[in-house]
Amino acid sequence: MIPQIQDNWPSVAVAVATLAVLAWVVGRLASRVLHGLIGRVTARTRSTWDDRLIERGVFRRLARAAPALVVYLGVGPALGIAGEPAADIQPSNVLVVLGTFAGRVAAAYVALTVARSFQAFLDAVNDIYNDGYEEAKSRPIKGYLQVLALLAWLAAAVVIVAVLAGRSPVVFLSGIGALAAVLMLVFRDTILSLVASVQIASNDMIRIGDWVSVPQAGCDGEVIDIALHTVKVQNWDKTISTVPTNKFITESFKNWRGMSESGGRRIKRSLRLDMNSVRFLDQEEIRELSRRELLHDYMRDSVAAIARHNAEKAAGDPGVTPEIRRLTNLGTFRVYVLKYLEAHPKTHKGMTLLTRQLAPGPEGVPIEVYCFSNDTAWANYEGFQADIFDHLIAILPEFGLRAFQAPGGSDFRKALGARSAGGGTNPVTLAD
């Protein structure tokens, strides 16, 4: 006979109050033991893996299941119910309804708490792996752990729904096969991301700390996190870009890791010279440039080779003007730039190093510097590159060369001032 609440409500109230107090006491004890005591013990150990478990709150979350477990086990005896009847519950049996509802909610909360604790445990495992293993940057496991977490949450969801409905979880699992197509559609992005994570890890395409450029996503910066669904990139302006993981498989991107590992960073920049300043060197300029350390051997050998060539030409038909060879200021400057780079301590001597003349155009004749810095750090690289061109621009007058640049306001003022001083009769020459 099921007791009615009208007959024995004082005893039921006392039993429920006792159960509530017992659940609170057990919760406090579990929190002190699983979180407080274990936390103090782990703080005294030298290992760091147990500290990660505490930081992620694995034991703190697990302790929250203790009061719900007490309620689940004690609500029946507290209400005087031996067990839930097999037949349908009648609305008039208030104690049965309340007891069944409280027990199911407590069991569902236990399943939820266990799932959250397992999630925290996986996060702690990821932290332990990142802290203790050098392969963490090249082969992150966060994506795989997120797959395990997803499976755990799916299992917890099935258990919670089954418990609240009063049915066996097997009943719900048996119907998943019929919903396979729907599940494939729902978890399409997850499946694609999982496949992409496996390919990225197996092919070592990106690592945490890599500098990547993804034009399609508008990001250019350092990889700070590789997860199952997304890759976080901190751009150089300190903004964060989130790129879907499968984009690194389906679309092109640039990884600058090769540059960092090679030890050299490319410099490829042109210096445009005014073609009107290109001319042959006279004897006095040849003597001055021959005194330079970087050009001494080149000038000696070139002058000797040109003298022999011209002597042979001079022995020809006296009625024909021979085509002699002469040194130009532009060619000598190009050799000087090459010698300067070869002697500079910050250029990488094991990589391509050259200076070349590009096709002349309306903006002058470009002399391109193509070399590699032996320091790949951004600030140092930019400083070295600036030092090179500071020096080259400053030394141009010694070769009789001028850098080309479009006329500005000061150029027009000088030209107009010269015209005014000449009475307005002299033509204005902006090239000068």
Side-chain angles (χ1 to χ4, degrees):
M1 184 65 180
I2 300 176
Q4 301 298 318
I5 192 170
Q6 295 85 353
D7 300 334
N8 58 347
W9 66 265
S11 61
V12 171
V14 172
V16 170
T18 304
L19 180 63
V21 172
L22 181 61
W24 180 82
V25 171
V26 171
R28 295 289 294 179
L29 290 177
S31 178
R32 288 181 178 273
V33 173
L34 292 179
H35 180 64
L37 180 60
I38 295 179
R40 288 191 293 270
V41 172
T42 56
R44 298 178 180 179
T45 60
R46 296 183 179 180
S47 58
T48 59
W49 64 267
D50 48 3
D51 297 329
R52 298 296 175 265
L53 295 175
I54 296 297
E55 292 173 0
R56 288 294 182 175
V58 177
F59 301 108
R60 182 180 67 252
R61 296 184 180 186
L62 196 60
R64 294 173 181 172
L69 189 61
V70 172
V71 172
Y72 174 73
L73 297 176
V75 66
L79 297 177
I81 303 172
E84 184 179 332
D88 293 337
I89 301 173
Q90 300 298 326
S92 58
N93 300 328
V94 179
L95 295 182
V96 175
V97 173
L98 293 177
T100 302
F101 177 76
R104 291 179 181 180
V105 171
Y109 183 77
V110 170
L112 177 63
T113 304
V114 171
R116 295 186 64 218
S117 301
F118 185 70
Q119 171 74 69
F121 173 75
L122 293 179
D123 293 338
V125 170
N126 185 60
D127 293 340
I128 295 169
Y129 178 73
N130 292 335
D131 293 341
Y133 296 89
E134 297 180 356
E135 299 84 358
K137 289 187 176 181
S138 60
R139 298 187 180 277
I141 63 173
K142 185 175 182 179
Y144 305 113
L145 295 178
Q146 287 182 330
V147 173
L148 292 178
L150 178 61
L151 295 176
W153 280 109
L154 288 175
V158 171
V159 172
I160 290 173
V161 172
V163 168
L164 293 178
R167 297 292 185 268
S168 173
V170 179
V171 176
F172 292 90
L173 292 176
S174 62
I176 291 182
L179 299 177
V182 178
L183 293 176
M184 290 289 291
L185 181 62
V186 172
F187 295 103
R188 171 181 174 273
D189 293 337
T190 300
I191 295 173
L192 293 177
S193 299
L194 177 60
V195 174
S197 298
V198 173
Q199 292 181 345
I200 288 174
S202 60
N203 297 322
D204 196 17
M205 298 175 64
I206 55 174
R207 304 176 185 173
I208 294 177
D210 283 354
W211 172 13
V212 297
S213 300
V214 188
Q216 297 85 347
C219 67
D220 183 20
E222 182 180 352
V223 178
I224 59 175
D225 184 51
I226 302 176
L228 176 62
H229 294 91
T230 58
V231 175
K232 289 184 179 180
V233 179
Q234 185 177 50
N235 300 306
W236 300 125
D237 59 358
K238 299 305 179 183
T239 58
I240 304 295
S241 295
T242 303
V243 184
T245 306
N246 62 316
K247 294 296 183 182
F248 288 90
I249 301 297
T250 59
E251 298 179 1
S252 62
F253 71 98
K254 182 183 291 186
N255 191 333
W256 295 82
R257 187 202 314 159
M259 178 270 295
S260 302
E261 293 179 347
S262 67
R265 188 166 181 176
R266 188 184 69 173
I267 295 175
K268 185 175 181 291
R269 180 180 291 183
S270 299
L271 179 63
R272 298 184 179 273
L273 305 179
D274 187 354
M275 286 187 287
N276 293 323
S277 65
V278 180
R279 56 178 173 79
F280 292 111
L281 295 174
D282 57 30
Q283 293 300 321
E284 181 61 27
E285 290 173 326
I286 290 176
R287 282 193 295 270
E288 289 296 328
L289 293 175
S290 297
R291 296 190 181 99
R292 288 189 169 275
E293 177 185 1
L294 296 178
L295 291 175
H296 179 72
D297 294 339
Y298 167 76
M299 297 297 290
R300 180 193 61 202
D301 298 339
S302 297
V303 169
I306 290 174
R308 289 192 300 270
H309 175 81
N310 294 341
E312 295 175 358
K313 289 288 185 178
D317 189 349
V320 178
T321 302
E323 189 66 34
I324 62 175
R325 292 173 55 190
R326 301 172 65 182
L327 289 173
T328 63
N329 58 351
L330 180 58
T332 305
F333 174 73
R334 180 165 46 84
V335 174
Y336 172 80
V337 175
L338 180 62
K339 299 294 184 182
Y340 175 76
L341 295 175
E342 289 176 346
H344 203 291
K346 292 186 178 181
T347 54
H348 199 296
K349 305 306 187 292
M351 297 184 177
T352 304
L353 191 154
L354 58 87
T355 58
R356 59 177 181 168
Q357 181 184 132
L358 303 181
E363 296 181 352
V365 53
I367 299 297
E368 184 182 79
V369 172
Y370 193 102
C371 65
F372 287 81
S373 168
N374 57 18
D375 192 341
T376 60
W378 189 8
N380 300 335
Y381 160 79
E382 293 291 350
F384 171 49
Q385 184 173 229
D387 289 342
I388 291 177
F389 284 88
D390 288 348
H391 178 80
L392 297 183
I393 293 173
I395 207 171
L396 282 177
E398 300 188 21
F399 289 85
L401 294 168
R402 293 192 303 269
F404 180 89
Q405 62 180 10
S410 59
D411 299 313
F412 287 109
R413 283 195 297 270
K414 290 179 181 179
L416 293 175
R419 184 177 182 180
S420 299
T425 58
N426 296 329
V428 178
T429 305
L430 296 180
D432 296 334

